[in-house]
Amino acid sequence: MKTFMYLFFITLVSLNLSCSSSDDDEGLTKDGPFSISELSGNWEATKAQFSVSSTSVDIVEDGGSVSMSVQSNGRFTLTLDPVDRNAYTVSGEMFWEEWQQTYYFAVIWDDEPNDWDTFGHTYDGTTFSINGGADSAEYDFDNDGDLESCSVHFIFVRS
């Protein structure tokens, strides 16, 4: 029995080392189709849409506002101020995930530091947009305090 426990322990340690977070970070970079540092500065959303099934909310269209401040290292703060509830802030870090010679725009959210979401994107120097598929965001559609998983589409312009 001691031999079995010893082998089990060695196997567990080996698996843990082979699956360390450094392996996950190998395809992460700040340089992709454009350098993340190009996004540094302040941004205002012209569209901030959250959608699930047939329900959709655009904070800006409804009279609210969304602003984003980005540092040159990719750290950002996103402030959402819907008209029907208190403003709130989320933050994280932007980077590129390179996988099979393709780059995906990605965000690590501060409240989930061991995971990231990837988004479709466009950027022309003055306008930046992101599109996320199902489960790429959360929003409290009925303002009951419970966030629902949804997709997101933001369009930002430099402010």
Side-chain angles (χ1 to χ4, degrees), residues 41-61:
N42 296 313
W43 299 84
E44 284 294 321
T46 59
K47 180 179 194 126
Q49 182 178 31
F50 297 89
S51 303
V52 63
S53 299
S54 61
T55 303
S56 181
V57 170
D58 185 329
I59 293 173
V60 176
E61 184 177 279

Side-chain angles (χ1 to χ4, degrees), residues 2-18:
K2 285 184 180 180
T3 303
F4 173 75
M5 292 302 287
Y6 178 74
L7 289 173
F8 177 74
F9 178 74
I10 296 297
T11 302
L12 185 63
V13 169
S14 297
L15 283 173
N16 189 32
L17 291 174
S18 68

Side-chain angles (χ1 to χ4, degrees), residues 133-154:
D135 302 327
S136 62
E138 294 179 331
Y139 192 76
D140 183 2
F141 288 95
D142 53 11
N143 203 11
D144 66 355
D146 294 325
L147 296 172
E148 291 90 29
S149 186
C150 61
S151 62
V152 65
H153 181 197
F154 283 2

Side-chain angles (χ1 to χ4, degrees), residues 48 50 59 65-67 78-82 86-90 139 154:
F50 297 89
I59 293 173
S65 64
V66 174
S67 60
L78 180 67
T79 303
L80 301 100
D81 191 5
N86 292 331
Y88 60 100
T89 301
V90 295
Y139 192 76
F154 283 2

